[in-house]
Amino acid sequence: MSLAFGAKIPPQEYTSQIRIRVRLTEAIPRVRVRGFDLRIHEMAKVAARTDGLSEWELTCFHGMIRAISTHSVKWLDLHEPVTVESPAGFLNFQNRPFRQILHISSVGSQCEVVNEVELEKYLDGLVNAEFSAKWNAKAMAAQVIAARTYAVHRMGQARLNPGSRFDIDATVRDQVYDGSMREDFRASRAVDRTRGLVLMTQFQEKGEKKWIPLKAFYHSTCGGATEFPERVWGNPYPGFKKVVRCPFCAVSPSFRWSAEISNSQMAEVVQRGVAQDGVQRNWPKAALEFLRHGTLASLFVSRWGTEGRAAQVTVVWHWGQSEIQLPIPAPRFRGWFGASVLRSTFFQISPISQGHWRFDGRGSGHGVGLCQWGAKNMGERGYSAASILHYYYPGSTIRKLW
Ligand SMILES: [Zn+2]
């Protein structure tokens, strides 16, 4: 993977109007856009102007986009990328309000939709999607700064590639964003009060030390200690040299959890996971044959990671008189079950009666960076936003970029 972490946005472009490109959908068959006085642009030229309220349906096909007005018989055949904007500032896409501009491009015969929106406005919408504006002001300020920092990091990375069409995903892959529907005054106030504040970390590139925006990961509940990014995704990131013990998130509803999974469900999930991801590099050659014809005999945590998190789970498979042991990295194993079943990798496995397995776990999410429930509790106890951030991102510095 590329180790180019440097922010590729020239410092003079760091203004409060800086815009982020948020990919709303990867590939959908048709796009419905509604709004007042819509302007449709084809490769930066105006292709259509409509007065008053109008609605368009767009379909995509290998570089061409057909826009059909749903109120008249009018249609346009356009070259991608097609841009739709409204001077009123809001557009309705899939029955949700979005600010500013939508870019539509084709992905084969499907459409990709990207919302270009001022970063500060994006954060307004994000607060209630990723966390809650009802939380105390200090914790919220810390979370908004973390979310802004994460976004600025992604923008810098995306812009290393001049052909990139978006900076960030609107899903759990990055930060969950569903437009302006959930903006409220508390969210806007938290964003406003922290305007331009970004966490920076020192990074050494070609012998030169520089400050760059941190990839400020955050998660719901760490369960007692945070985790290194390389243990979750395989890659290290600048600014995550230490994990921290967190005595603050014991108040979280998912501080402790358990899940019971039957042997047959377990076998099915593992088989499906392997079919999707392929065999692990360190598995013996006969692994697939065992998975196809044998039965799941046992499983256990075979390697422990930071502060008692599971790092690797081994499944034991029997076929006839033979046995095979298949180690799986715990984050991948968790991914196969889904985050709602195995809420974290902070678990222990024990057999219970009649071919059932029990997972006793702590925390929710990947565990890297800021622990949201810990931050909430710290804020309630009077810690400032800056001390919350320095606690979960040790060694980072808060800078005002605009
Ligand atoms: Zn925590």
Side-chain angles (χ1 to χ4, degrees):
M1 87 157 232
S2 156
L3 279 174
F5 288 108
K8 292 295 164 184
I9 304 169
Q12 65 273 21
E13 286 183 24
Y14 284 125
T15 70
S16 58
Q17 277 88 46
I18 192 169
R19 288 179 173 192
I20 187 165
R21 299 167 304 166
V22 188
R23 183 167 71 173
L24 303 179
T25 65
E26 213 168 327
I28 48 170
R30 56 183 56 80
V31 178
R32 264 176 186 255
V33 184
R34 195 169 67 238
F36 283 95
D37 304 336
L38 291 183
R39 306 281 182 267
I40 300 178
H41 299 263
E42 174 192 30
M43 301 163 83
K45 292 192 303 269
V46 180
R49 242 172 229 274
T50 52
D51 294 327
L53 182 67
S54 69
E55 185 180 57
W56 293 78
E57 190 174 278
L58 296 93
T59 46
C60 304
F61 194 77
H62 300 281
M64 294 299 295
I65 292 169
R66 173 165 287 187
I68 302 173
S69 163
T70 59
H71 299 295
S72 69
V73 288
K74 203 158 59 175
W75 83 78
L76 306 159
D77 281 325
L78 308 167
H79 292 275
E80 72 175 10
V82 165
T83 295
V84 186
E85 59 183 319
S86 159
F90 280 99
L91 294 156
N92 202 294
F93 162 62
Q94 316 294 66
N95 289 320
R96 290 198 177 127
F98 287 87
R99 289 175 179 273
Q100 294 173 321
I101 299 174
L102 293 178
H103 297 285
I104 296 121
S105 315
S106 65
V107 178
S109 56
Q110 308 250 324
C111 304
E112 177 191 80
V113 182
V114 172
N115 183 202
E116 186 182 325
V117 56
E118 270 174 31
L119 177 54
E120 296 289 332
K121 297 291 177 202
Y122 161 75
L123 293 169
D124 277 356
L126 195 75
V127 170
N128 281 307
E130 271 288 354
F131 30 92
S132 165
K134 293 197 183 83
W135 286 18
N136 65 80
K138 289 166 180 157
M140 251 224 300
Q143 298 203 334
V144 169
I145 295 169
R148 181 185 293 107
T149 302
Y150 185 94
V152 172
H153 176 100
R154 296 290 282 128
M155 288 167 77
Q157 270 204 318
R159 289 166 198 209
L160 289 171
N161 168 13
S164 73
R165 295 202 287 216
F166 65 96
D167 300 311
I168 200 163
D169 246 307
T171 67
V172 287
R173 227 179 283 169
D174 282 310
Q175 306 191 105
V176 177
Y177 178 68
D178 55 8
S180 301
M181 192 133 82
R182 294 200 259 179
E183 288 176 15
D184 69 21
F185 76 95
R186 274 184 297 236
S188 306
R189 197 173 50 194
V191 172
D192 231 39
R193 283 184 179 165
T194 63
R195 178 168 294 268
L197 295 181
V198 169
L199 285 159
M200 308 292 275
T201 189
Q202 212 168 36
F203 174 59
Q204 194 148 358
E205 197 175 44
K206 294 172 192 150
E208 191 195 333
K209 273 189 184 171
K210 53 183 179 179
W211 289 90
I212 57 160
L214 186 72
K215 189 163 186 183
F217 296 103
Y218 55 91
H219 60 278
S220 163
T221 306
C222 74
T226 63
E227 178 59 300
F228 292 107
E230 57 268 39
R231 294 256 169 89
V232 182
W233 300 288
N235 307 317
Y237 287 88
F240 293 91
K241 285 200 199 84
K242 280 194 228 166
V243 294
V244 294
R245 290 218 174 145
C246 168
F248 299 107
C249 60
V251 295
S252 162
S254 44
F255 184 69
R256 284 187 191 285
W257 55 266
S258 67
E260 282 180 19
I261 297 165
S262 73
N263 213 46
S264 57
Q265 274 175 308
M266 182 74 68
E268 215 181 289
V269 169
V270 171
Q271 283 160 333
R272 210 181 318 129
V274 175
Q276 177 195 304
D277 294 348
V279 295
Q280 299 289 309
R281 252 178 280 156
N282 54 349
W283 284 6
K285 277 208 177 74
L288 279 179
E289 291 296 296
F290 270 77
L291 286 171
R292 206 166 291 146
H293 305 292
T295 52
L296 174 69
S298 181
L299 80 156
F300 57 93
V301 175
S302 47
R303 198 153 47 80
W304 296 97
T306 321
E307 304 281 343
R309 245 169 234 278
Q312 180 179 277
V313 174
T314 290
V315 293
V316 181
W317 225 268
H318 283 177
W319 182 25
Q321 299 301 310
S322 314
E323 180 186 292
I324 203 169
Q325 298 208 351
L326 307 174
I328 303 155
R332 170 152 301 187
F333 181 80
R334 174 179 175 239
W336 290 349
F337 286 88
S340 58
V341 179
L342 299 183
R343 294 199 198 169
S344 70
T345 55
F346 218 143
F347 56 69
Q348 294 186 323
I349 310 171
S350 41
I352 51 172
S353 60
Q354 295 158 342
H356 278 68
W357 300 93
R358 186 182 158 97
F359 290 75
D360 287 296
R362 292 202 327 211
S364 174
H366 50 62
V368 181
L370 181 135
C371 163
Q372 293 179 310
W373 275 88
K376 176 178 187 281
N377 192 8
M378 285 182 85
E380 281 163 12
R381 289 170 182 223
Y383 288 91
S384 68
S387 35
I388 296 171
L389 290 166
H390 290 140
Y391 190 79
Y392 290 108
Y393 304 106
S396 65
T397 295
I398 304 170
R399 293 250 178 103
K400 191 161 170 65
L401 293 191
W402 55 83

